Amino acid sequence: MAAESPVIEAKRRVEYLEIQARKLAGKCLSGRMHSVWTINPYRGCEFGCRYCYARYAHEFMELRDPVLFETRIFAKQFDAVSFRRELARVPRGESLWIGTATDPYQPAERRFEVTRRILDVIAMEKGRSIGITTKSDLVVRDLDLLARVAEQNTIHVHLTITTLDEDLARLIEPLAPRPSLRMKAVQRLTEQGIGCTVLAHPIMPLINDSEASLDALCGAAALAGAVSFSAAPLFLKPCSKQVFLPFVEEHFPHLARRYRERYNRQAYLTGDYPVRLRERVVKLIAKHGLKERGAADLTVVWPAEPQMDLFEERNEPRAANVLTC
Ligand code: SF4
């Protein structure tokens, strides 16, 4: 009888591989972030967010099936002595950012602890400026270590939380920890004196952009002790578009045509939308006594409707690129 039982659900198989990296820290070549060095302890990310832009990292390795980004995870080999040598070449005034193209606290970190070993070395440094971006409450495992890093360096953790709606989060970020756990992590970190920002990145038009949703998120971030809050609109490069647009077709069919029309034309939203979103966020940040996470000032008339109209075309400035994790 047991052999004849129907399969209810098969657990997704994830392969972990080890990869040799010539260097762990890479200088960011973007003009706007010229003094930033990025560190990505892993390649690929099991959280599998439907909008993830980092899938391009697997394309570089000729792994073109977008699903492989979530199922074939590479852990970078780590050698403390070589990493210390690398750090010696990073000027003191420049910052190190951990987790720009993968989540440094994804499930692989429980086993391989590459992020933890990187932080262990950084804890011996002085005068460094460190940023971490994650969508995982596993970061609180390293509370003591982060506190040690903070003794002689500055460190700031960015928790990405796009919605407080657990069902919606499960849909768009299927294997990431629940939003409530992430917010709890913000609270634990700030109680230990570690500065936190909540990133609502990305904001997906007509999915998680209502004023009520952003208000609840911003308010919860303030209650948890975050110092700042940021939200930025979805952008879809080809690697993420091939996953996100079919996802919209399946789960938000009433929005599919509009998303296709907009994002097939270009990766970034233009027109009123990014301007209105920013205006909405600035207002909420002020309401909840938080700070902005550096961005240019934009001023527009506040829209009357509860959700902004993505599809109203005007020639306004392009949305700024954002770090997402
Ligand atoms: S957006 Fe971040 S957390 Fe989500 S799959 Fe991509 S790298 Fe992982």
Side-chain angles (χ1 to χ4, degrees), residues 37-50:
W37 294 69
T38 59
I39 299 176
N40 286 294
Y42 301 95
R43 275 191 172 208
C45 181
E46 212 173 322
F47 288 156
C49 306
R50 302 294 84 196

Side-chain angles (χ1 to χ4, degrees), residues 173-184:
E173 299 151 356
L175 291 181
R178 293 197 308 276
S180 56
L181 292 175
R182 292 182 235 167
M183 202 58 91
K184 184 79 187 155

Side-chain angles (χ1 to χ4, degrees), residues 44-55 69-70 100-103 106 134-135 173 176 324-325:
C45 181
E46 212 173 322
F47 288 156
C49 306
R50 302 294 84 196
Y51 50 72
C52 178
Y53 78 93
R55 292 175 199 274
F69 179 80
E70 305 160 23
T100 55
T102 182
D103 198 305
Q106 60 175 291
T134 182
K135 204 169 271 166
E173 299 151 356
T324 307
C325 197

Side-chain angles (χ1 to χ4, degrees), residues 48-281:
C49 306
R50 302 294 84 196
Y51 50 72
C52 178
Y53 78 93
R55 292 175 199 274
Y56 72 87
H58 264 45
E59 288 182 356
F60 286 159
M61 296 187 293
E62 311 263 301
L63 299 171
R64 301 206 181 276
D65 179 348
V67 175
L68 290 177
F69 179 80
E70 305 160 23
T71 57
R72 194 170 294 175
I73 310 296
F74 294 84
K76 293 189 182 169
Q77 278 181 359
F78 181 77
D79 173 64
V81 177
S82 318
F83 183 55
R84 217 168 285 143
R85 250 188 257 126
E86 264 190 66
L87 278 185
R89 288 196 291 271
V90 177
R92 295 274 146 187
E94 304 195 346
S95 44
L96 292 158
W97 201 289
I98 303 173
T100 55
T102 182
D103 198 305
Y105 285 102
Q106 60 175 291
E109 173 61 13
R110 288 187 199 277
R111 285 193 195 192
F112 305 108
E113 300 196 343
V114 186
T115 303
R116 187 172 173 84
R117 286 184 283 156
I118 286 169
L119 288 170
D120 246 329
V121 171
I122 292 175
M124 290 182 257
E125 294 278 308
K126 284 184 189 165
R128 296 289 184 189
S129 168
I130 318 295
I132 297 177
T133 309
T134 182
K135 204 169 271 166
S136 174
D137 61 329
L138 180 61
V139 62
V140 300
R141 177 202 66 186
D142 289 343
L143 262 182
D144 292 350
L145 181 53
L146 296 171
R148 260 202 296 128
V149 172
E151 282 170 14
Q152 308 204 72
N153 305 277
T154 58
I155 185 159
H156 196 90
V157 178
H158 297 76
L159 258 297
T160 303
I161 310 175
T162 52
T163 175
L164 293 181
D165 180 332
E166 310 253 320
D167 293 336
L168 179 59
R170 187 54 67 232
L171 211 55
I172 57 180
E173 299 151 356
L175 291 181
R178 293 197 308 276
S180 56
L181 292 175
R182 292 182 235 167
M183 202 58 91
K184 184 79 187 155
V186 172
Q187 190 185 340
R188 296 274 311 277
L189 289 160
T190 55
E191 281 169 0
Q192 289 291 312
I194 309 289
C196 281
T197 294
V198 169
L199 301 179
H201 294 190
I203 293 298
M204 291 150 275
L206 303 170
I207 293 177
N208 67 337
D209 66 349
S210 72
E211 183 164 9
S213 166
L214 285 166
D215 190 16
L217 190 52
C218 198
L223 271 179
V227 288
S228 49
F229 180 83
S230 162
L234 172 75
F235 65 95
L236 292 178
K237 296 281 185 174
C239 65
S240 42
K241 198 165 70 174
Q242 62 181 320
V243 174
F244 194 78
L245 292 187
F247 163 80
V248 173
E249 299 266 1
E250 186 182 348
H251 296 282
F252 302 93
H254 58 295
L255 300 178
R257 183 184 57 79
R258 294 160 145 193
Y259 266 81
R260 257 196 330 270
E261 280 173 10
R262 275 308 174 100
Y263 284 104
N264 275 339
R265 234 181 295 153
Q266 54 196 5
Y268 292 87
L269 287 181
T270 55
D272 272 359
Y273 187 85
V275 180
R276 289 179 175 190
L277 173 63
R278 177 159 163 70
E279 185 71 6
R280 178 168 287 183
V281 171

